[in-house]
Amino acid sequence: MIRKNIQILRESIENKCKEIGRDPAEITLIAVSKFKPVEDILEAFNAGLTNFGENKAQELRDKAEKIIENLTWHFIGHLQTNKVKYVIKAAEFIHSVDSLKLAKEIEKKAATIGKVQKILLEINTSGEETKFGLRDKNEIYEIAEYCEKSENLDLRGLMTMAPFTDNRETIRESFLTLRKLKDEINGDGFKLEHLSMGMTNDYLIAIEEGATMLRIGTAIFGARNYT
Ligand SMILES: *Cc1c(COP(=O)(O)O)cnc(C)c1O
């Protein structure tokens, strides 16, 4: 089932890329394995996926410790400063940096293990109060400038979640906002490369708007059981 899902998803991504003239090789497919057992992760790995995303700090740590295969882990959930210690070892990327305080804690923990931590800034592009993410431009630039000077933080791009809606244009607007923000920041001398956006229900729009990292769970592993 998982193998078949991945095959269908890959074809869908490739077809979309062909349609709009993008190279599928510039898009990283991150399999969001939250709430899913290690066996499912291994099944996806055996079907060729190597990038996995988790949104709970301890769950990422536990899975990363259990699985000996060489997986690339992405932390994509809201991160409290007191839980940075759980993800710092395993996470190749932390997608959800949303405050200077958190950036400083990540820097501190990365320094203690001699690591340069790749991070993305999570941006609230929907204006929804219930969503995490940065909204204030000054704050965004403040963190970006802090990362420039830091030896242990490597700011690589931006991440967002589209609003909960069926309105395709509202979703597109959100992704477009992220892309424009990246271009604006790069226009000021930064070198951001990644746009982490697009989930099961909106990844095709995200590809059209320039996503370089897709975070997809349900389309790969099936529905999650939260109980
Ligand atoms: C759960 C989650 C996803 C994946 O969602 P699906 O709709 O299952 O593809 C992507 N990004 C974040 C931040 C998530 O928490």
Side-chain angles (χ1 to χ4, degrees):
M1 194 62 191
I2 290 173
R3 179 176 289 269
K4 184 80 189 154
N5 287 345
I6 292 170
Q7 190 192 336
I8 293 168
L9 184 59
R10 279 227 166 106
E11 278 169 19
S12 160
I13 293 168
E14 275 164 28
N15 287 339
K16 175 51 77 181
C17 284
K18 212 173 278 169
E19 179 194 324
I20 61 170
R22 285 193 66 189
D23 179 359
E26 66 187 39
I27 299 175
T28 302
L29 174 56
I30 300 168
V32 177
S33 47
K34 63 189 188 195
F35 293 93
K36 295 294 177 181
V38 163
E39 299 82 75
D40 286 10
I41 297 174
L42 291 176
E43 197 175 334
F45 175 76
N46 289 329
L49 296 189
T50 52
N51 286 273
F52 291 85
E54 290 286 339
N55 74 335
K56 297 258 188 311
Q58 285 102 323
E59 192 173 343
L60 171 63
R61 179 201 57 189
D62 294 347
K63 284 175 173 170
E65 279 175 359
K66 246 185 238 158
I67 299 174
I68 52 166
E69 273 82 1
N70 228 347
L71 306 189
T72 301
W73 292 102
H74 298 254
F75 187 76
I76 62 173
H78 182 63
L79 187 56
Q80 290 166 285
T81 49
N82 63 344
K83 296 197 172 164
V84 171
K85 58 177 183 271
Y86 298 130
V87 305
I88 198 72
K89 243 177 78 193
E92 175 83 5
F93 277 86
I94 297 174
H95 291 230
S96 44
V97 177
D98 60 358
S99 71
L100 184 59
K101 181 170 163 241
L102 177 59
K104 286 182 175 173
E105 177 63 16
I106 293 171
E107 175 186 43
K108 199 170 107 194
K109 290 287 186 289
T112 62
I113 59 168
K115 179 184 188 186
V116 179
Q117 180 65 56
K118 293 177 202 156
I119 64 167
L120 307 178
L121 299 184
E122 179 171 358
I123 309 293
N124 182 329
T125 53
S126 67
E128 286 176 302
E129 293 289 342
T130 53
K131 282 212 163 58
F132 291 109
L134 294 153
R135 274 193 266 187
D136 180 65
K137 274 227 180 107
N138 292 329
E139 207 180 342
I140 293 166
Y141 272 90
E142 189 184 13
I143 303 172
E145 277 155 20
Y146 186 84
C147 292
E148 282 282 286
K149 293 190 217 108
S150 166
E151 307 246 314
N152 298 92
L153 294 173
D154 184 10
L155 177 59
R156 301 294 282 268
L158 307 176
M159 178 272 228
T160 200
M161 286 176 84
F164 291 114
T165 172
D166 290 332
N167 187 323
R168 316 301 283 171
E169 286 318 303
T170 308
I171 293 170
R172 185 180 302 281
E173 203 52 48
S174 169
F175 293 154
L176 190 58
T177 300
L178 197 71
R179 172 149 63 95
K180 284 184 178 159
L181 181 61
K182 175 183 156 228
D183 292 346
E184 183 184 337
I185 294 172
N186 283 349
D188 289 318
F190 293 88
K191 291 191 178 64
L192 308 184
E193 53 175 317
H194 285 299
L195 290 174
S196 168
M197 57 191 197
M199 315 186 351
T200 293
N201 287 324
D202 53 25
Y203 70 91
L204 291 175
I205 306 174
I207 294 171
E208 288 173 358
E209 296 307 331
T212 64
M213 290 174 159
L214 306 174
R215 311 179 309 268
I216 300 184
T218 309
I220 294 172
F221 297 108
R224 286 176 290 274
N225 185 356
Y226 288 104
T227 56

